[in-house]
Amino acid sequence: GQVTVVRGHDKEKMVSDRVLFVDNDAYATTSEVQSLSLVADRLDTAAVISYGDIVYKHYFIHECLSHPGDVVLVVDVECAKTDTWRDYVQAGEAFNPMQLQQAPTLVQMARAMNPDQITGEFVGLMKTTKTGSRAIQAALASVPESELATMTMPAFLTRLSQTIAVHIVYVQ
């Protein structure tokens, strides 16, 4: 499939003839959700969606892609729980290293949350099936234009979880 990258800051430094670039020229005043909405029309099949400023271990992508869910988030269970800039996750089932077959789903995400509710931090990596991509398209279309620019990814994914199961893959 085609790789699509939403560019913002220093966009001229990202150059490739094998990638479709979409520019978010308002990157300084908008959120990740606004950037995602710019490529909503391209979400017509399975996809891997990643923040552009993260580095993750190779097995994160494997764990994510091998999960059968339509929308799957990678969540780090070893995170500080007192920051206000992290994408905190509360899942229906906390990580249990003694249980190999867990099936947690998203309850809510927020940048501020009671530490007792936090089951991990969204690392900025998710995958969708065609069904999941269509659910994201519909959820983006349901957000009023006036809210798109400032809606946080935690707020958007919490909203999405009200219409489709958002599965969690825990990593350490």
Side-chain angles (χ1 to χ4, degrees):
Q2 174 73 48
V3 174
T4 303
V5 174
V6 179
R7 300 184 296 188
H9 180 71
D10 284 340
K11 68 182 182 182
E12 62 281 348
K13 292 182 179 178
M14 294 186 76
V15 180
S16 174
D17 58 355
R18 297 188 302 177
V19 174
L20 172 66
F21 291 106
V22 175
D23 294 338
N24 180 358
D25 292 325
Y27 68 88
T29 58
T30 61
S31 68
E32 305 94 344
V33 178
Q34 175 67 38
S35 293
L36 183 59
S37 74
L38 294 175
V39 295
D41 62 324
R42 300 201 46 83
L43 288 172
D44 55 1
T45 187
V48 173
I49 301 169
S50 176
Y51 289 172
D53 61 349
I54 65 168
V55 176
Y56 41 84
K57 296 176 182 171
H58 66 90
Y59 73 88
F60 286 17
I61 192 79
H62 172 76
E63 292 294 318
C64 191
L65 290 174
S66 64
H67 192 287
D70 290 316
V71 178
V72 181
L73 310 180
V74 178
V75 173
D76 182 359
V77 297
E78 296 178 353
C79 65
K81 295 185 176 184
T82 56
D83 296 318
T84 57
W85 53 270
R86 296 180 186 270
D87 293 346
Y88 289 121
V89 170
Q90 178 187 7
E93 182 180 359
F95 174 71
N96 180 346
M98 302 306 290
Q99 188 176 354
L100 294 176
Q101 297 297 320
Q102 289 189 270
T105 55
L106 182 66
V107 172
Q108 69 168 329
M109 273 179 75
R111 298 238 162 101
M113 191 182 292
N114 179 325
D116 294 337
Q117 295 176 303
I118 297 170
T119 54
E121 176 189 6
F122 174 52
V123 302
L125 176 63
M126 71 175 117
K127 75 104 181 196
T128 64
T129 63
K130 187 173 189 172
T131 299
S133 291
R134 288 190 173 153
I136 289 174
Q137 285 178 318
L140 286 168
S142 75
V143 177
E145 188 69 33
S146 61
E147 294 176 29
L148 258 183
T150 58
M151 179 177 261
T152 64
M153 190 61 76
F156 176 74
L157 291 173
T158 298
R159 182 182 190 132
L160 179 66
S161 72
Q162 295 167 3
T163 62
I164 190 170
V166 176
H167 299 271
I168 305 291
V169 170
Y170 285 126
V171 295
Q172 294 179 286

